[in-house]
């Protein structure tokens, strides 16, 4: 049982390398979905494994065994392995929960501040212009979705570049990219091995919006120029937006500009990268499920409901 529960805790450390290759092998939208689904499954499997390890350690103690209606404390093959693993799992879950709550509160405050700021200004459709000396532009989710842009950003771009920037931010809202960013953030707090995948998912979201904007305005060079100029304008600017509100100026802008200046990406069939991510997620989920079922069986044995 313990060996099975360790597999979901080790597999995520192997994911960042293929994740970085995903954008080279798949179209941005396909990469965004593949990466996000993989990290969500991996994060869920790791949390389930950690929880099973914690409960295993607790039910080995007589006081908790009595609370669980166990006839005798849970029996495992080696206390020298199980008890340290349970203690470590408790620490990891505690730290992860603490950092997640702290991050969630910070992001919620930032979202409320950005939403309040946007709602105080008259909007032209989905576009909200804020008077500010700091260039900034981002897609703000909510009801309704908003494209927030400052007057300083408008002054930094030409008319055609503004349209490309607006098309980029509209693609973020239309694609619900904030949901992918939230999923990546949650996964990063569930397992440290998934933290390097978080910026890759953010880059995939930006690349997807880049391609959608280029298709909307019909000019890849114009879109690349708009993103580059907007990024240069906001380089020394401070934004109040939450991290899950995507913006055209985030991520490795030179890499994104180079992709736009190259030929449009071809939509490829599922590559070995997608297959590898799916295998990692399946192995992790399967091992976690098998470990949890084995733990449940041991609990039933300890309760006297099933013979060993």
């Amino acid at each position: 049982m313990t060996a099975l529960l360790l597999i979901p805790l080790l597999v995520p450390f192997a994911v960042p390398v293929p994740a970085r290759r995903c954008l080279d092998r798949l179209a941005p939208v396909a990469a965004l979905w593949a990466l996000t689904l993989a990290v969500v499954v991996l994060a869920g499997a790791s949390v389930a494994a950690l929880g099973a390890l914690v409960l295993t350690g607790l039910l080995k103690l007589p006081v908790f065994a009595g609370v669980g209606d166990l006839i005798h404390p849970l029996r495992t093959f080696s206390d020298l392995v199980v008890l340290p693993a349970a203690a470590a799992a408790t620490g990891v879950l505690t730290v992860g929960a603490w950092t997640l709550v702290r991050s969630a509160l910070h992001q919620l405050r930032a979202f409320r501040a950005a939403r309040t700021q946007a709602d105080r200004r008259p909007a032209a459709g989905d576009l909200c212009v804020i008077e500010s000396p700091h260039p900034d532009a981002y897609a703000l989710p909510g009801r309704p979705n908003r494209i927030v842009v400052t007057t300083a950003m408008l002054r930094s771009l030409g008319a055609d570049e503004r349209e490309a920037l607006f098309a980029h931010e509209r693609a973020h809202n239309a694609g619900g990219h904030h949901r992918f960013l939230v999923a990546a953030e949650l996964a990063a707090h569930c397992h440290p091995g998934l933290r390097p995948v978080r910026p890759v998912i953010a880059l995939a979201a930006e690349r997807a919006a880049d391609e959608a904007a280029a298709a909307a305005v019909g000019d890849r060079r114009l879109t690349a120029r708009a993103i580059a100029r907007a990024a240069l304008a906001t380089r020394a600017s401070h934004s109040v937006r939450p991290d899950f509100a995507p913006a055209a100026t985030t991520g490795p802008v030179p890499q994104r500009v180079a992709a736009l200046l190259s030929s449009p990406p071809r939509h490829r069939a599922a590559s070995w990268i997608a297959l590898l991510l799916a295998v990692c997620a399946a192995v992790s989920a399967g091992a976690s499920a098998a470990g949890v079922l084995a733990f449940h069986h041991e609990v039933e044995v300890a309760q006297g409901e099933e013979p060993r």
Side-chain angles (χ1 to χ4, degrees):
M1 176 184 69
T2 304
L4 285 172
L5 294 175
L6 292 178
I7 293 176
L9 304 180
L10 297 176
V11 171
F13 289 109
V15 171
V17 173
R20 296 187 188 99
R21 296 286 305 277
C22 197
L23 274 174
D24 298 331
R25 304 291 300 179
L26 297 175
V29 174
L32 181 61
W33 276 98
L35 288 169
T36 305
L37 290 175
V39 298
V40 167
V41 173
L42 290 166
S46 65
V47 169
L50 289 171
L53 286 172
V54 170
L55 291 175
T56 299
L58 290 177
L59 293 179
K60 290 185 70 64
L61 303 176
V63 60
F64 289 103
V67 173
D69 295 327
L70 272 62
I71 297 175
H72 54 76
L74 200 65
R75 294 170 181 169
T76 55
F77 73 99
S78 175
D79 292 351
L80 295 177
V81 175
V82 173
L83 292 180
T90 302
V92 171
L93 281 177
T94 301
V95 172
W98 167 248
T99 59
L100 176 59
V101 170
R102 186 174 61 179
S103 175
L105 291 175
H106 173 73
Q107 294 302 320
L108 182 59
R109 286 193 295 267
F111 174 72
R112 285 178 174 173
R115 194 75 209 186
T116 300
Q117 185 184 52
D119 290 342
R120 288 175 179 172
R121 299 291 190 275
D126 61 348
L127 182 63
C128 177
V129 178
I130 294 177
E131 185 72 33
S132 173
H134 304 292
D136 198 14
Y138 53 89
L140 185 64
R143 295 184 179 179
N145 292 329
R146 296 290 189 202
I147 298 172
V148 179
V149 61
T150 64
T151 52
M153 177 62 82
L154 293 178
R155 290 192 293 266
S156 301
L157 303 176
D160 53 352
E161 293 168 341
R162 295 174 191 168
E163 291 304 316
L165 181 67
F166 298 159
H168 177 100
E169 304 302 352
R170 287 192 177 99
H172 277 313
N173 281 333
H177 292 169
H178 63 283
R179 298 186 180 93
F180 296 91
L181 300 182
V182 169
E185 182 71 17
L186 290 173
H189 288 284
C190 291
H191 195 289
L194 298 176
R195 290 174 189 169
V197 187
R198 178 171 47 187
V200 182
I201 291 177
L203 175 57
E206 294 304 325
R207 287 282 295 110
D210 290 344
E211 294 297 331
V217 300
D219 191 334
R220 298 180 67 83
R221 296 187 67 85
L222 169 62
T223 305
R225 187 171 71 247
I227 290 171
R229 293 191 63 180
L232 288 174
T234 59
R235 183 170 51 184
S237 179
H238 175 69
S239 177
V240 298
R241 68 179 179 88
D243 292 341
F244 60 83
T249 57
T250 57
V253 174
Q255 180 180 343
R256 293 167 50 203
V257 169
L260 282 169
L261 294 178
S262 63
S263 58
R266 294 180 180 179
H267 293 271
R268 306 178 184 181
S271 68
W272 66 270
I273 289 289
L275 180 61
L276 181 58
L277 290 173
V279 168
C280 288
V283 168
S284 185
S288 177
V292 170
L293 289 175
F295 163 74
H296 182 262
H297 175 72
E298 293 296 330
V299 171
E300 289 183 335
V301 171
Q303 291 174 333
E305 297 180 7
E306 284 193 12
R308 184 177 286 274

